[in-house]
Amino acid sequence: MKPEALVRTVEDFLVSASDAVVMEEGVIAFDLANAKYSVSGEHNKCLLHLWSSERNVVRRVLDVEIKNDVLRLAVQRLGQARPTKLEICRQRDRRTPTAKRAARLAYQRVLQRVLERHFPSCKIAELRTSVDLERSFGPIYARGLLCRGQSSFAVLGVNAEETQVSIDAALTFGILWLDFCRQSQAGKTVVEGLKLFLPAERSSLTRERMARLHRHAAKWQLYELDEREDCMKEIDVSDHGNVSTRLVQCPDESAARARFAEAIAVVRRLMPEAESAVISPAEIAFRCHGLAFNRVRVAHQPASFRSTTEIVFGLGAAERVLSERNFAEFAQLVRSIGEVRHPQGPRDHFLWRMHPERWLESLVVNQLGRLDETLDTSCVYSQVPAFSASDRAMIDVLTLTREGRLAVVELKADEDIHLPVQGLDYWSRVAWHHERGEFQRFGYFPPRELAPEPPLLFLVAPALHVHPATDTLLRYFSPEINWILLGIDERWREAIRVVFRKRPNRAANFARDA
């Protein structure tokens, strides 16, 4: 293939693979959720540059092949003649279906032995990993029922070879399995609660989430299972004051915009309507309906203590420093985005389809009052960093009511079964910082005085894309969490319109043994 065709093939694959991983010599070299890349065809060569906080590599691409969501590259290291292989995988779990089935069956046997050893007086109903699409159960999780007399516990476990995303998602399916067991066992046995088994040292996020579940709705028990040693230990989920999270200082927006005024003007000349967001005192991002296409930032000159301002552009993890040589390319990117990314744009174009949740977020920020008239439209923060343990996530929207009560807004543009639990996760972090008075100490919501009540939680999704399991999951939330589920019109790109609104039914009671 010619260098131009190689560049186009690599760029087209990467632009729709923002969470892909780059494999070299059989190991993950880069995670594009946290790394950056650039592809260039200068000097009649296709060069792929990948970098992160830990590594920085450049490879010359000689040939490409796309197979099963994997971009296989024949590459050449600089200074070496012998080609090597590089793989960019959309799917993080590279195991074959046969390997996955074998690992899950082996885990079933381990879990069976552990349950028999630690709960000898209980009868274990057959563990299963069968697919049940009607109830959203897949093959990843081993499910069963642990019975003793007229009482029982729902059991769900996940093996250590699954991705961390699947392990963190276990709580969602554990709650649904508990609820299904209660329905199917009604009149036969009382299903007291859930025993959730996760791999050793990988349960911290789930522990934080379980601490915020309804304690009178079920007995919640979390265990870490070491498959090699066939042993387990119980994790305390009763303390919701122990949350591993930290807040970052709110940047001074006026100072940042003044610092980058000249660079901002360059971008504004190309797209006057672009949304700008101050990421930090040293960085401003520009977006078109939520799609980030360039940033202005402080850069340090090599071998010098001096700093300068630079503009970088690209979609997703792609990033190139703007210069005179590539200004026309930058201008073309901005024009293409402006022509496509609007409500009446071509729906089949990848620029129109990219990052729908960020598009929804940009509209919510500007039309906040349409979600709920109690929200204060003058106090809105979007993409607030929410650090927890090794997880770095972003709260979609953080705002206040007119009475000064914090409100967390979690958004989904497509159907997502995990919307309630992810909203619970962010609510917990905001509540933790609020209890310690950190928001105002870190520069948020000046000069407002925040109300002492716990935050509100708004869950927002298109009405026809609210997952059927959402109501079930929300019933198991702690009563201290005042949530509001908002279904919005499917034509939300034109305007935000609330179609339905649901709140907790405080009169609903759960029957369980003490």
Side-chain angles (χ1 to χ4, degrees):
M1 295 177 68
K2 293 183 179 180
E4 298 82 8
L6 290 172
V7 170
R8 186 166 57 252
T9 301
V10 175
E11 287 184 332
D12 289 348
F13 184 89
L14 288 173
V15 77
S16 59
S18 58
D19 291 327
V21 291
V22 181
M23 309 283 294
E24 190 170 33
E25 297 178 353
V27 299
I28 296 178
F30 293 95
D31 182 342
L32 293 185
N34 304 307
K36 297 291 183 181
Y37 73 86
S38 68
V39 186
S40 67
E42 298 176 358
H43 309 297
N44 204 32
K45 296 178 182 178
C46 176
L47 296 178
L48 174 62
H49 182 193
L50 296 154
W51 68 96
S52 67
S53 58
E54 300 174 349
R55 300 187 64 193
N56 188 332
V57 302
V58 177
R59 300 287 185 264
R60 179 184 177 184
V61 180
L62 305 176
D63 199 7
V64 300
E65 177 191 17
I66 300 177
K67 187 175 181 180
N68 298 329
D69 273 344
V70 177
L71 179 67
R72 294 186 171 92
L73 308 175
V75 300
Q76 192 176 49
R77 300 186 184 211
L78 298 183
Q80 296 186 12
R82 185 178 179 180
T84 59
K85 296 291 185 181
L86 201 70
E87 292 186 332
I88 304 176
C89 316
R90 282 198 179 99
Q91 301 295 327
R92 291 168 178 260
D93 191 342
R94 296 295 322 286
R95 295 175 297 164
T96 64
T98 301
K100 292 177 183 178
R101 283 195 298 270
R104 290 162 185 170
L105 287 172
Y107 177 77
Q108 264 186 250
R109 292 190 289 270
V110 172
L111 182 57
Q112 179 90 19
R113 289 196 300 269
V114 169
L115 291 173
E116 290 172 349
R117 184 183 308 124
H118 288 272
F119 306 100
S121 61
C122 296
K123 177 184 176 181
I124 306 167
E126 181 184 359
L127 292 173
R128 69 185 84 168
T129 57
S130 56
V131 176
D132 185 346
L133 296 180
E134 182 182 353
R135 299 177 179 85
S136 303
F137 297 127
I140 295 176
Y141 307 101
R143 313 180 301 277
L145 196 64
L146 195 62
C147 304
R148 182 181 180 183
Q150 295 301 308
S151 67
S152 60
F153 270 85
V155 173
L156 185 137
V158 56
N159 73 76
E161 292 190 38
E162 305 295 345
T163 65
Q164 188 61 46
V165 171
S166 295
I167 293 169
D168 291 339
L171 180 59
T172 292
F173 296 104
I175 295 172
L176 295 178
W177 177 242
L178 165 65
D179 195 73
F180 170 74
C181 289
R182 285 180 162 177
Q183 293 179 43
S184 63
Q185 297 297 316
K188 304 174 186 177
T189 178
V190 176
V191 183
E192 295 190 53
L194 171 69
K195 293 183 184 290
L196 185 63
F197 292 83
L198 302 185
E201 308 299 329
R202 299 172 71 179
S203 67
S204 59
L205 183 58
T206 300
R207 183 199 63 76
E208 294 174 10
R209 290 171 172 174
M210 289 184 80
R212 298 291 187 175
L213 296 180
H214 198 322
R215 296 185 184 182
H216 297 298
K219 293 179 179 177
W220 307 104
Q221 297 177 3
L222 175 64
Y223 300 89
E224 287 189 346
L225 193 158
D226 188 324
E227 297 167 49
R228 291 184 178 182
E229 301 295 331
D230 268 18
C231 64
M232 70 175 200
K233 67 174 180 179
E234 186 169 1
I235 306 299
D236 181 16
V237 297
S238 61
D239 182 11
H240 59 69
N242 184 21
V243 178
S244 177
T245 180
R246 62 186 177 88
L247 193 65
V248 298
Q249 184 72 33
C250 184
D252 184 333
E253 292 204 11
S254 58
R257 295 184 191 281
R259 164 183 271 179
F260 297 120
E262 186 175 340
I264 291 173
V266 173
V267 180
R268 290 291 186 199
R269 282 196 293 270
L270 293 174
M271 184 181 282
E273 73 276 17
E275 308 146 5
S276 62
V278 177
I279 307 300
S280 73
E283 184 176 0
I284 293 180
F286 287 86
R287 305 164 183 152
C288 178
H289 292 302
L291 177 62
F293 61 89
N294 90 286
R295 291 178 293 147
V296 179
R297 68 188 183 192
V298 172
H300 297 283
Q301 297 179 350
S304 171
F305 291 104
R306 299 179 61 187
S307 62
T308 185
T309 297
E310 68 179 13
I311 300 174
V312 296
F313 67 96
L315 300 175
E319 184 176 285
R320 297 184 66 184
V321 178
L322 184 64
S323 64
E324 291 184 2
R325 290 187 301 174
N326 60 27
F327 188 86
E329 183 180 345
F330 172 55
Q332 178 58 42
L333 173 65
V334 175
R335 280 195 298 271
S336 298
I337 293 173
E339 292 170 357
V340 170
R341 201 165 174 87
H342 55 84
Q344 291 75 40
R347 297 181 174 225
D348 59 343
H349 199 288
F350 77 94
L351 289 174
W352 195 90
R353 298 195 311 269
M354 283 185 74
H355 304 304
E357 285 175 20
R358 299 285 75 82
W359 191 334
L360 177 57
E361 174 199 304
S362 69
L363 295 177
V364 166
V365 167
N366 291 312
Q367 303 176 34
L368 189 64
R370 296 191 177 187
L371 285 185
D372 196 292
E373 61 183 12
T374 66
L375 297 176
D376 188 341
T377 58
S378 67
C379 298
V380 188
Y381 298 91
S382 63
Q383 291 292 285
V384 179
F387 296 93
S388 181
S390 60
D391 171 50
R392 184 186 192 278
M394 295 285 183
I395 298 171
D396 290 333
V397 177
L398 181 64
T399 184
L400 294 176
T401 65
R402 290 194 177 95
E403 288 73 34
R405 187 173 184 178
L406 283 166
V408 179
V409 183
E410 175 67 3
L411 308 166
K412 293 295 179 186
D414 296 309
E415 186 174 287
D416 192 329
I417 196 172
H418 303 294
L419 169 62
V421 173
Q422 288 177 356
L424 174 65
D425 182 22
Y426 297 137
W427 183 95
S428 298
R429 302 183 198 189
V430 170
W432 193 89
H433 292 295
H434 179 45
E435 289 169 0
R436 287 152 184 78
E438 292 186 355
F439 281 106
Q440 291 184 305
R441 193 160 70 245
F442 281 78
Y444 293 85
F445 304 109
R448 295 289 300 276
E449 181 177 346
L450 302 186
E453 292 85 7
L456 298 173
L457 173 60
F458 287 86
L459 303 171
V460 183
L464 299 180
H465 287 77
V466 175
H467 196 282
T470 299
D471 286 341
T472 300
L473 294 166
L474 289 171
R475 283 196 296 114
Y476 287 92
F477 278 20
S478 169
E480 70 175 327
I481 301 171
N482 195 339
W483 55 262
I484 302 96
L485 175 63
L486 302 178
I488 59 175
D489 191 284
E490 297 291 322
R491 296 161 294 183
W492 53 263
R493 286 179 175 86
E494 300 173 9
I496 300 293
R497 291 183 288 269
V498 175
V499 175
F500 71 78
R501 187 184 309 268
K502 291 184 179 180
R503 294 178 181 271
N505 180 6
R506 299 304 186 193
N509 293 316
F510 287 90
R512 74 169 180 85
D513 290 348

